Amino acid sequence: MGIVDKAKNAAEDAIGKAKEVIGDATDNKDLEAEGKKDQGSAGVKKVGENVKDTFK
């Protein structure tokens, strides 16, 4: 997994966490759900990159 990919995934995860917290604090369920979706997407990408690294 390249350093750029790791940084992008970490940023996407951090943004997702921030959206979730802000959505929860403001009672904005849509923003909270979007944050959870972003975190899930980052997690899936991380797993995919780890699988690719395993088979190199």
Side-chain angles (χ1 to χ4, degrees), residues 1-44:
M1 181 183 223
I3 190 86
V4 174
D5 291 331
K6 285 183 181 181
K8 285 181 182 178
N9 290 341
E12 186 174 359
D13 186 53
I15 291 169
K17 287 178 183 176
K19 285 180 181 178
E20 183 181 1
V21 168
I22 292 168
D24 186 43
T26 60
D27 202 31
N28 183 337
K29 298 299 179 192
D30 291 334
L31 186 60
E32 188 176 352
E34 185 177 334
K36 288 179 182 181
K37 180 186 71 92
D38 289 349
Q39 290 176 66
S41 176
V44 168

